């Protein structure tokens, strides 16, 4: 065999062997990250219970970490709902639960949220022969009636029909699990006492409305009392439309989320003292969230400064994860290398043509920045666009790694380990990047700037950015520095 042929074969064999080795290393690395991600998701499902405050510095990764947790709890609640239905069926193996599905689906289509009403209807029309059925779990002193199990079956069925397990402020979350946008979230939905008082007034208004209308018919048109009575009737009629639907809607199998909680006026640090003097029932409902939802709901909040929040709200936190660092882990180094090699040629071609265009532009007096750009269609732009799409494809398969500390007591946040009451655990969590960056808008509050720009009267002027600065430009700055404490000094002289 010719020496040159041996060299070629050895070279080809080395390339094939090297490529295969790199592919094997990449495969093992990706599988290791996937397994680590699965363990992280399982840890999140068990580590967080009822009220979770995610804290950390600006851009530390609080929002994306919370988004990953919401995806994890979506999986958890889907599994829990299926498990609950299986339990109900196994608890009463002789009952055909499929007979209830049409009624449950019809009530869901009507928007009903009271499973007790649907259960009463089913006990009357479908399961009338099940009133004497009971389930003995070997723990309760008394067996559990079939109707209570039926209520759980209805709640789990509605959760699966809803196929939406997240309520997010501004609905700015898209679930990578269900492919649905989140349900709306309003911090005032926790004000159980305000809502109960309002609903009591609605009920009382409806009771009195009919009697007042009858009294109104028999009164003299010129009577002063009739005018006052008309105003009362009009007020009661406004409440009548809301009587059939309650403002309270704490769903089962749902994770509630609020980004940058301290921007909520109800818990703003400036208002916290006044807020502590009021009682809307917000803290009561959060304190009882586990019992109210049979441990099938959780609340996530993000905040930059945990200590600045409302004291009563802060004290309810069951877990406080402090995110210290987040970074993207991209294990697909071989595709990255091949894409970089592909890009190198076309980027070189772009630079070569750009230098040629700049030389020609200088001769003709044209601005060289306007001569050669990617604005117009070209072969270079097409190939660079393809490489960008390939990079995005492999990037979307990567992971996000979060590190930090998980505190269990609000009084422990930020303290040294020796002075902690409940201690802390280290956070070492790996999420698929689609769960974090792909599911939520990390610039949600940019909408505030957009709205302010739309209503602003300011217009950019040439002297703001084009004309050279003058002495007058610094006058206001000088006055601010020199006169900042003048009022305080005058007061001290007096």
């Amino acid at each position: 065999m010719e020496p040159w042929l041996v060299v070629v074969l050895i070279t080809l064999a080395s390339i094939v062997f090297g490529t295969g080795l790199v592919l094997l290393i990449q495969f093992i690395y990706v599988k290791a990250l996937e397994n680590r991600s699965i363990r992280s998701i399982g840890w999140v499902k068990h580590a967080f219970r009822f009220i979770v405050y995610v804290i950390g510095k600006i851009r530390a990764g609080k929002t994306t970490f919370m988004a990953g947790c919401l995806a994890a709890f979506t999986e958890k609640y889907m599994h829990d709902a299926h498990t609950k239905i299986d339990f109900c069926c196994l608890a009463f193996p002789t009952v055909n639960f499929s007979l209830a599905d049409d009624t449950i689906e019809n009530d869901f289509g009507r928007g009903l949220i009271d499973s007790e009403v649907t259960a009463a209807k089913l006990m009357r029309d479908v399961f009338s022969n099940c009133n004497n059925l009971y389930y003995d779990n070997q723990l309760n002193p008394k067996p559990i009636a079939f109707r209570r199990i039926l209520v759980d079956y209805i709640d789990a069925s509605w959760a699966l029909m809803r196929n939406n397990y997240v309520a997010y402020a501004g609905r700015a979350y898209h679930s990578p699990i269900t492919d649905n946008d989140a349900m709306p979230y309003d911090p005032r939905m926790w004000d159980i006492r305000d809502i109960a008082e309002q609903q009591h007034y609605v009920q009382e208004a409806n009771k009195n409305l009919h009697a007042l209308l009858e009294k109104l018919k028999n009164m003299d048109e010129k009577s002063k009392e009739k005018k006052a009575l008309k105003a009362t009737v009009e007020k009661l009629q406004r409440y009548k439309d809301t009587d059939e639907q309650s403002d309270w809607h704490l769903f089962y199998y749902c994770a509630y989320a609020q980004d940058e909680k301290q921007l909520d006026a109800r818990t703003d640090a400036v208002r916290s003292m006044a807020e502590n003097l009021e009682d809307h029932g917000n803290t009561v409902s959060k304190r009882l969230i586990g019992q109210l939802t049979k441990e099938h709901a959780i609340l996530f909040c993000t905040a930059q400064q945990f200590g600045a929040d409302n004291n009563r709200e802060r004290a309810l936190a069951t877990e406080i994860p402090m995110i210290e660092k987040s970074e993207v882990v991209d294990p697909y180094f071989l595709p990255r290398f091949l894409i970089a090699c592909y890009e190198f040629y076309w980027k070189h071609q772009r630079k070569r043509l750009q230098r040629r265009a700049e030389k020609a532009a200088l001769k003709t007096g044209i601005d060289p920045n306007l001569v050669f750009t990617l604005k117009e269609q070209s072969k270079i732009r097409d190939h660079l666009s393809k490489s960008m799409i390939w990079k995005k494809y492999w990037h979307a398969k990567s992971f996000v790694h979060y590190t930090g500390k998980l505190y269990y007591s609000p009084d422990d946040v930020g303290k040294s380990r020796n002075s902690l009451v409940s201690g802390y655990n280290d956070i070492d969590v790996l999420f698929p990047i689609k769960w974090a960056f792909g599911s939520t808008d990390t610039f949600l509050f940019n909408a505030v700037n957009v709205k302010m720009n739309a209503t602003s009267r300011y217009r950019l002027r040439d002297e703001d950015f084009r004309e050279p600065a003058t002495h007058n430009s610094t006058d206001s700055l000088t006055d601010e520095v020199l006169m900042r404490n003048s009022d305080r000094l005058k007061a001290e002289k007096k």
Side-chain angles (χ1 to χ4, degrees), residues 196-206 232 235-236 239:
E197 181 180 346
Q198 177 188 359
Q199 292 307 311
H200 175 73
Y201 185 81
V202 170
Q203 293 171 2
E204 291 297 318
N206 286 327
T232 303
K235 188 175 181 180
L236 294 178
Y239 280 99

Side-chain angles (χ1 to χ4, degrees), residues 266-471:
R266 299 294 298 274
T267 56
D268 189 276
V270 177
R271 307 189 186 191
S272 60
M273 184 176 295
E275 189 66 24
N276 279 328
L277 298 176
E278 300 179 10
D279 188 4
H280 304 278
N282 191 289
T283 55
V284 172
S285 57
K286 290 177 180 176
R287 190 184 303 275
L288 299 175
I289 183 174
Q291 298 185 45
L292 290 172
T293 63
K294 302 178 184 177
E295 298 188 358
H296 291 313
I298 190 170
L299 172 63
F300 284 93
C301 307
T302 67
Q304 290 180 23
Q305 293 180 324
F306 182 64
D309 208 350
N310 182 300
N311 289 332
R312 290 192 304 176
E313 294 266 329
R314 183 180 60 185
L316 295 176
T318 54
E319 291 84 27
I320 308 102
M322 176 184 285
I323 306 302
E324 297 175 344
K325 185 180 179 182
S326 63
E327 59 180 348
V328 175
V329 180
D330 189 346
Y332 299 98
F333 40 82
L334 182 58
R336 287 281 188 185
F337 173 74
L338 296 176
I339 294 171
C341 293
Y342 178 82
E343 272 188 331
F344 177 80
Y345 172 77
W346 293 106
K347 285 183 176 180
H348 177 73
Q349 288 291 96
R350 179 188 180 187
K351 289 181 180 178
R352 185 176 62 82
L353 293 177
Q354 191 166 5
R355 285 195 296 268
R356 184 188 299 175
E358 287 173 355
K359 290 180 180 179
L362 290 174
K363 293 180 180 179
T364 57
I366 302 175
D367 185 353
N369 294 319
L370 303 177
V371 175
F372 186 82
T373 67
L374 293 177
K375 293 181 180 180
E376 297 180 359
Q377 188 174 8
S378 64
K379 184 183 293 186
I380 292 176
R381 191 176 80 167
D382 291 342
H383 286 283
L384 290 178
S385 175
K386 287 179 182 178
S387 67
M388 184 182 70
I389 293 172
W390 293 337
K391 285 191 291 187
K392 294 294 183 183
Y393 171 80
W394 290 106
H395 180 71
K397 290 178 171 290
S398 57
F399 302 85
V400 186
H401 182 217
Y402 297 92
T403 55
K405 297 181 178 66
L406 177 60
Y407 296 97
Y408 298 95
S409 171
D411 297 328
D412 289 343
V413 176
K415 293 183 179 178
S416 62
R417 186 182 288 272
N418 296 332
S419 59
L420 298 181
V421 176
S422 304
Y424 69 81
N425 286 327
D426 291 325
I427 294 175
D428 186 10
V429 171
L430 196 73
F431 284 136
I433 195 169
K434 287 185 177 180
W435 283 29
F437 290 95
S439 60
T440 186
D441 185 358
T442 56
F443 302 105
L444 172 63
F445 291 100
N446 173 251
V448 176
N449 187 44
V450 172
K451 184 172 183 178
M452 294 302 295
N453 283 338
T455 56
S456 174
R457 291 182 295 177
Y458 177 82
R459 292 295 179 267
L460 192 63
R461 300 160 298 183
D462 284 349
E463 58 264 29
D464 291 333
F465 66 97
R466 199 186 305 276
E467 296 181 1
T470 63
H471 177 71

Side-chain angles (χ1 to χ4, degrees), residues 203-270:
Q203 293 171 2
E204 291 297 318
N206 286 327
K207 289 180 183 178
N208 299 330
L209 184 59
H210 181 71
L212 291 176
L213 288 172
E214 290 296 325
K215 184 178 179 181
L216 198 61
K217 290 179 182 178
N218 302 322
M219 292 186 69
D220 184 14
E221 287 292 334
K222 298 181 180 180
S223 171
K224 292 182 179 180
E225 185 181 353
K226 185 169 184 177
K227 292 182 179 179
L229 196 59
K230 274 186 176 180
T232 303
V233 168
E234 289 176 359
K235 188 175 181 180
L236 294 178
Q237 285 175 332
R238 286 198 295 270
Y239 280 99
K240 185 177 180 181
D241 294 333
T242 64
D243 182 37
E244 294 180 358
Q245 292 188 2
S246 172
D247 294 325
W248 178 261
H249 52 280
L250 187 60
F251 296 120
Y252 299 98
Y253 306 97
C254 185
Y256 296 87
Q258 183 177 4
D259 198 11
E260 295 297 347
K261 186 179 184 299
Q262 290 167 343
L263 295 180
D264 175 16
R266 299 294 298 274
T267 56
D268 189 276
V270 177

Side-chain angles (χ1 to χ4, degrees), residues 3 57 87 98 149 160 175 189 195 202 229 246 248 305 317 335 388 445 478 486:
K57 296 181 180 179
F87 163 76
S98 62
I149 301 293
L160 294 174
S175 174
M189 64 174 289
I195 294 171
V202 170
L229 196 59
S246 172
W248 178 261
Q305 293 180 324
M388 184 182 70
F445 291 100
T478 304
S486 60

